[in-house]
Amino acid sequence: MTINRGASARKSIKPAEAFIGSAPDARRKGVIRGRKEQITLTIAPELLAKVDALAGRMGQSRAALINRAIYELAERVTA
Amino acid sequence: MIVTVGNTKGGVGKTTMAVQLALARALAGRDVLVVDGDRQGSAQMAIAVRTEAGRLPGLTCVQYPDGPVLRAQVQRLATKYDDVVIDAGGRDSTALRAALILSDRLIVPFLPRSVDVWALADIAGLVDEADAVRDGLQAFAVLNAADPGASGDNAEAAAALADFPRLVLLDAPIRRRKAFANALGLGLSVAELTPRDAKACEELAALAFMVFGDQVNIKAD
């Protein structure tokens, strides 16, 4: 028998997840811009100057360079 | 059986009631898991005090303030214990909602005060939402820290439950007694506390019987 008309089958897992995820503490506090989350980063002026100089040489934005550096570090550490 | 002691309102004595119910079951020979769904971790603290004192029977306690984690972990753990008591709430949270999805019974403690009665609408609303997602949740409300003696406020608060038919009144009020707070601080059941408060013991025994008994005595008004 492949037909299951039980109520428990109709009430699937996904609505339960949505119910749990609707609680106020489930909402993210950060600001989402597109597919990325905005964060605040403080950085030493000397290091920022190096980042900007490197970004200029590589033809990248400051944010792109910082993202790439963090990505490469994370990949290396978790490898 | 999985029982949640929960309310979206804080300060109604959820943790005290959850730990006392769990200890009542443990003292009856059941292997009990307590799930602390509150970031504050008061239930876990009380049980840690009990464990450090080497008091037997012991209770196992885990803390999952995150709803999805609580749901996944308790689903796995529930089969390994005779009873699971979840302490959740104080506000609408993922942990409380996950507990509502998992539990056989919800026990909502409330005080005989206007603000507590007003707040019942919130937890009753959550139960309605849970009903849309699952079947079979039994939801009860019980007076906690009720006034001593025959109080008009107790009766009025109990009568106000009629506005929330989804919450069935358990006629086993817990009255305001220092023994409950003192016992929690020591990680003890009121039945283990010295000097013994016989009335507190009777009240807890009556509540535990109704909460875990096969037949729940529902007050007919």
Side-chain angles (χ1 to χ4, degrees), chain A residues 12-32:
Chain A
S12 65
I13 294 167
K14 281 192 175 168
E17 286 169 352
F19 170 65
I20 294 166
S22 302
D25 65 327
R27 288 168 204 146
R28 297 185 69 96
K29 288 178 183 157
V31 177
I32 304 296

Side-chain angles (χ1 to χ4, degrees), chain B residues 19-207:
Chain B
V19 172
Q20 288 301 316
L21 284 172
L23 282 170
R25 291 300 269 177
L27 288 166
R30 307 275 289 180
D31 194 5
V32 184
L33 173 70
V34 175
V35 179
D36 192 336
D38 195 335
R39 282 179 207 284
Q40 213 166 33
S42 304
Q44 197 175 46
M45 186 72 86
I47 291 161
V49 169
R50 181 181 184 84
T51 306
E52 278 172 24
R55 193 91 196 191
L56 295 174
L59 284 180
T60 308
C61 183
V62 289
Q63 186 182 15
Y64 300 124
D66 180 69
V69 177
L70 186 152
R71 182 174 180 226
Q73 292 299 312
V74 174
Q75 269 175 336
R76 288 175 56 88
L77 290 168
T79 55
K80 305 184 197 310
Y81 291 87
D82 298 324
D83 294 305
V84 178
V85 177
I86 306 175
D87 171 22
R91 66 201 156 278
D92 182 2
S93 67
T94 56
L96 176 59
R97 286 171 180 246
L100 292 182
I101 294 295
L102 288 171
S103 297
D104 300 301
R105 288 182 177 168
L106 166 69
I107 311 300
V108 180
F110 72 109
L111 274 54
R113 303 285 176 261
S114 298
V115 286
D116 287 77
V117 171
W118 298 337
L120 286 173
D122 292 333
I123 185 70
L126 264 191
V127 172
D128 285 341
E129 281 190 55
D131 284 341
V133 185
R134 58 156 294 179
D135 294 312
L137 174 65
Q138 295 179 291
F140 303 97
V142 63
L143 270 176
N144 195 30
D147 298 334
S151 153
D153 287 353
N154 289 350
E156 278 184 40
L161 255 193
D163 292 342
F164 311 104
R166 190 62 183 82
L167 299 177
V168 176
L169 181 68
L170 280 184
D171 190 15
I174 298 291
R175 296 185 191 275
R176 196 170 51 246
R177 301 185 193 284
K178 282 201 76 173
F180 289 111
N182 291 346
L184 183 74
L186 295 168
L188 299 178
S189 163
V190 283
E192 297 170 309
L193 197 65
T194 47
R196 200 163 186 270
D197 183 332
K199 288 181 178 174
C201 295
E202 280 171 26
E203 287 171 5
L204 179 66
L207 179 63

Side-chain angles (χ1 to χ4, degrees), chain A residues 20-75:
Chain A
I20 294 166
S22 302
D25 65 327
R27 288 168 204 146
R28 297 185 69 96
K29 288 178 183 157
V31 177
I32 304 296
R33 294 189 182 277
R35 289 171 53 228
K36 297 196 172 176
E37 182 169 341
Q38 182 177 306
I39 61 165
T40 303
L41 173 73
T42 55
I43 187 168
E46 306 78 32
L47 182 56
L48 183 61
K50 283 185 185 174
V51 169
D52 285 342
L54 191 57
R57 280 210 304 278
M58 296 174 75
Q60 288 187 326
S61 68
R62 176 194 283 174
L65 186 84
I66 293 171
N67 263 302
R68 179 176 163 182
I70 295 170
Y71 176 81
E72 286 181 1
L73 175 68
E75 287 291 301

